[in-house]
Amino acid sequence: MTEFEEKLRQQREESMTRELEVLLSSGNKEEAQVSRKDFDGFKKLFNRFLQVSGPSVDWNKIHPPPEDSIQPYERIRAKGLPDDIAGSLNKLVVLKLNGGLGTSMGCTGPKSLISVRNENTFLDLTVQQIEHLNKTFKADVPLVLMNSFNTDEDTKKILQKYTHHQITIHTFNQSRYPRINKESLLPVAKGLGLGGANGEAWYPPGHGDIYASFYNSGLLDKLLAAGREYVFVSNIDNLGATVDLFVLQHLMSQPADRRCEFIMEVTDKTRADVKGGTLINYHEHLRLLEIAQVPKSHVDEFKSVTKFKIFNTNNLWISLPAIRRLQENNSMDLEIIVNPKTLDGGLNVIQLETAVGAAIKCFNNVLGVNVPRSRFLPVKTSSDLLLVMSNLYSLDAGSLTMSRLREFKSTPHVKLGSSFTKVQDFLKRFENVPDMLELDHLTVSGDVTFGKNVSLKGTVIIIANHGDRIDIPAGAMLENKIVSGNLRILDH
C-alpha cells in the first residue's frame, strides 16, 4: 500500500470503530454485551477486507489436489464397521445450519419449517433421522442447530414438539453483523434494534461464522466436556446429508497422533453444479476455491467440468478439539466473500461473509471423500421440491432414498417456471404429484396445472404462452412430448 492508501485504511478503521461504539451505546446492557462479541468478529473481518484488494488467489499457483488427498467413498466403506457402533456415535454431534429464511421459495419464517414430504418439515426429517440412529444403536447423538436472529425465535417455539423424542437438541445463535454502506463504508444501522427500517441493517455473516459463534456460545466447551470429539455439519435443506457410519468409523480408527481433523464430502460435478466450490492444492495445502474468489478472466475455466471435476457438498466432519485450538490461537483465517446487496429504498450495501468449508486449510490431516451423489440432495427451489415429493424417492425414518423401481440412478432435470416459484402457488398447480419414475427431463413454463395421477416419462416440455393456460388432464401419460397452446378443463 502507498502511504496515502495506508492512511485512508487507518481512517476507515477508526471511523468504523467509532460508529460501532455509538451503536453499542444505543442498546441496553445485555444487548450491548452480546453485540460487542459480534462486533469484535466483524471488526477483524472489516479490517482484513480493507487490506485485501482483488481476487484472493493467484491463478497460476492453483494445482489439482494430490491423488491421496481425495479418497473414493468405496475405499472408506470397504473398511467396514466396528462392533461398538454406539461408542463411535456417542463421540459425535450433528450440527445443522439453520440460519436461512424460506423467502426464495415464497415462504415467511425459517426455511427448515417448510413441509417437504408427507407434511414433514426439514427439521422433522432431521429429528427422525437422529432419533432412529439413537434407537437402533442405543446411542445418544445430540442435534445442534445454528440459528440466526432471523430464525431463532420461530425455531425455538417449534422445538417444544420434540420434547418426548429420543434426542437432545441444543441451539446457539450465529453472529449479527451490520450491513455497510457501499460508498461511506460505515454501518447503515441507526441503533441495535431490529424494528422498522433498522431490520434491513443487519445480516447473519454466512456459515463460516460457525466456528466463532459455536466457541463463544459456550456450547463447544460443554460438548467437549461430555466426551464429544467430532461434529458432522451440513445444510438443513440438504436431505441427503445423513450420518454416514463408514465416514465416522474412518475418523475414529485413525491413530491418536494422526487423527484426521477435517473431512469434506465432495461429489462429481455435473453441468448443474458449475458454480459449486472445488478443492485445489494451493501453497501445498488443500483449499476450497469458491467462484467469488476466481478472477473474472478465469470464471469459464473454473466452471469447466473437465478441469475441476468435483465440488463441495458442504457435508463436513470436523474435530471439536481442533476447532477450540484454532479459536483460542486466533488461527482461523477464512477468505472474505463480499456480497453486494440493494436495500428496499435503493441503497447499495455490502455484507462481508465467510464459508464454513474455507477453514479446511487451517486444520491438520485433512481429507476429501468423493461420496455418491445421493448425499447431495438440496432443496433450493420448487423444482427440487417436486423431485423429493415424488415417487422417485421413498422415505424411511426421515431419510430419502432413490426408489428401487427407477432404472437410472441419476435424478431427472426439472425446470419449473416463475408461476411455480412460491410454494403455495406450486402446491395449487398439482392435484397430486405426478409419477416421475421414468422421467429424464421436465420443463414447464407459464400457466400450467396438473390433474390427478399424471405420468411423465422421458423428456416432457409444457409451454403455455402469455395469456394461455394448459390443464394437463387427470390420468394423462406424457412420454417424450412437447405440449403448447391452450387447453382448459373446467368443472361442468
Side-chain angles (χ1 to χ4, degrees):
M1 283 189 181
T2 64
E3 192 180 343
F4 170 76
E5 286 172 329
E6 178 58 26
K7 279 185 175 165
L8 185 62
R9 185 188 67 76
Q10 285 177 348
Q11 187 186 332
R12 283 176 166 160
E13 267 185 35
E14 287 163 10
S15 300
M16 176 60 79
T17 302
R18 267 198 310 274
E19 287 293 318
L20 293 176
E21 286 300 326
V22 170
L23 286 174
L24 288 171
S25 65
S26 72
N28 62 43
K29 194 178 176 184
E30 196 181 335
E31 277 179 330
Q33 201 175 351
V34 174
S35 294
R36 189 172 288 282
K37 268 189 181 175
D38 290 350
F39 287 1
D40 286 345
F42 172 74
K43 276 193 287 190
K44 281 181 197 165
L45 206 56
F46 180 72
N47 295 350
R48 278 176 47 219
F49 160 71
L50 292 177
Q51 288 168 335
V52 176
S53 61
S56 57
V57 290
D58 179 343
W59 195 258
N60 297 321
K61 292 180 180 169
I62 287 175
H63 301 287
E67 281 287 308
D68 59 346
S69 65
I70 299 179
Q71 291 207 15
Y73 176 74
E74 290 68 34
R75 194 181 300 168
I76 302 278
R77 191 182 170 94
K79 292 176 182 173
L81 293 173
D83 295 332
D84 182 20
I85 292 174
S88 296
L89 284 171
N90 287 337
K91 292 177 180 173
L92 182 70
V93 176
V94 174
L95 192 154
K96 295 287 181 181
L97 303 170
N98 185 44
L101 294 168
T103 40
S104 64
M105 296 175 76
C107 298
T108 55
K111 187 176 182 183
S112 57
L113 306 185
I114 296 174
S115 288
V116 281
R117 180 82 183 219
N118 304 355
E119 301 298 313
N120 288 302
T121 65
F122 290 105
L123 188 53
D124 290 335
L125 295 176
T126 300
V127 168
Q128 286 168 28
Q129 287 165 18
I130 299 173
E131 186 180 33
H132 177 66
L133 264 184
N134 287 338
K135 283 180 173 174
T136 306
F137 298 104
K138 297 183 173 57
D140 178 23
V141 178
L143 170 64
V144 175
L145 298 173
M146 179 170 87
N147 300 336
S148 69
F149 65 90
N150 287 322
T151 62
D152 189 52
E153 201 176 318
D154 289 338
T155 302
K156 280 181 173 165
K157 285 177 190 167
I158 292 293
L159 290 182
Q160 293 165 18
K161 79 176 190 180
Y162 306 118
T163 310
H164 300 295
H165 289 249
Q166 196 177 319
I167 182 172
T168 306
I169 304 177
H170 305 279
T171 65
F172 69 94
N173 259 6
Q174 71 177 113
S175 307
R176 181 176 71 133
Y177 283 3
R179 283 180 167 149
I180 308 165
N181 184 311
K182 194 178 175 186
E183 300 307 318
S184 68
L185 292 186
L186 292 172
V188 297
K190 299 288 182 255
L192 285 182
L194 286 167
N198 221 32
E200 273 200 311
W202 304 95
Y203 71 100
H207 40 56
D209 180 55
I210 181 176
Y211 304 106
S213 297
F214 196 13
Y215 178 77
N216 290 338
S217 70
L219 184 56
L220 175 63
D221 284 340
K222 185 177 168 184
L223 292 166
L224 279 165
R228 305 290 167 174
E229 293 179 20
Y230 283 96
V231 59
F232 172 51
V233 178
S234 63
N235 298 355
I236 201 157
D237 64 3
N238 178 7
L239 296 177
T242 55
V243 171
D244 187 284
L245 296 174
F246 295 97
V247 176
L248 179 62
Q249 166 57 9
H250 177 79
L251 288 167
M252 293 299 176
S253 61
Q254 303 296 308
D257 59 334
R258 281 188 288 117
R259 272 279 170 100
C260 186
E261 291 187 349
F262 195 111
I263 283 182
M264 176 181 287
E265 292 186 27
V266 296
T267 194
D268 293 343
K269 195 191 269 193
T270 68
R271 302 214 177 275
D273 318 303
V274 291
K275 291 183 178 178
T278 191
L279 282 177
I280 56 168
N281 184 15
Y282 194 77
H283 294 308
E284 302 307 312
H285 279 278
L286 204 57
R287 177 165 164 177
L288 179 66
L289 177 67
E290 299 276 13
I291 194 165
Q293 298 162 256
V294 177
K296 280 196 171 68
S297 55
H298 292 283
V299 166
D300 287 342
E301 201 180 333
F302 174 82
K303 289 181 178 178
S304 153
V305 181
T306 47
K307 179 161 184 176
F308 298 106
K309 297 186 169 88
I310 49 144
F311 73 98
N312 168 29
T313 62
N314 224 34
N315 300 346
L316 309 168
W317 303 75
I318 312 171
S319 157
L320 292 172
I323 294 175
R324 179 159 68 182
R325 182 190 76 233
L326 289 166
Q327 280 301 129
E328 285 177 347
N329 297 342
N330 205 13
S331 308
M332 204 68 85
D333 173 28
L334 309 185
E335 286 79 27
I336 298 169
I337 300 163
V338 181
N339 190 353
K341 297 268 182 187
T342 304
L343 302 186
D344 287 347
L347 182 68
N348 290 323
V349 296
I350 53 175
Q351 34 188 75
L352 306 178
E353 302 175 5
T354 54
V356 58
I360 190 169
K361 65 176 186 179
C362 307
F363 289 84
N364 300 326
N365 302 323
V366 301
L367 185 68
V369 175
N370 193 339
V371 295
R373 181 75 186 200
S374 57
R375 291 195 53 77
F376 184 67
L377 188 58
V379 180
K380 304 288 183 193
T381 63
S382 52
S383 303
D384 299 331
L385 191 56
L386 180 63
L387 286 168
V388 299
M389 289 174 79
S390 75
N391 59 348
L392 283 163
Y393 293 96
S394 53
L395 179 65
D396 180 31
S399 298
L400 287 183
T401 48
M402 182 74 78
S403 169
R404 292 195 189 125
L405 300 174
R406 181 165 170 83
E407 285 183 28
F408 312 104
K409 290 305 162 197
S410 59
T411 311
H413 189 62
V414 173
K415 251 168 103 177
L416 301 178
S418 55
S419 308
F420 293 80
T421 302
K422 293 183 176 178
V423 173
Q424 64 192 85
D425 296 341
F426 159 88
L427 294 172
K428 284 176 192 162
R429 291 182 176 275
F430 292 95
E431 284 207 38
N432 64 3
V433 178
D435 171 0
M436 292 163 55
L437 275 177
E438 294 177 49
L439 179 71
D440 298 321
H441 180 110
L442 172 67
T443 296
V444 183
S445 177
D447 188 0
V448 178
T449 66
F450 292 79
K452 272 190 178 171
N453 306 329
V454 170
S455 180
L456 305 170
K457 301 180 181 186
T459 297
V460 179
I461 298 169
I462 306 167
I463 297 173
N465 292 321
H466 186 66
D468 289 345
R469 173 167 163 172
I470 296 175
D471 297 331
I472 303 297
M477 196 279 280
L478 300 176
E479 183 170 8
N480 297 323
K481 293 285 185 282
I482 296 175
V483 182
S484 63
N486 204 11
L487 174 64
R488 296 300 314 271
I489 297 176
L490 303 169
D491 288 334
H492 184 53

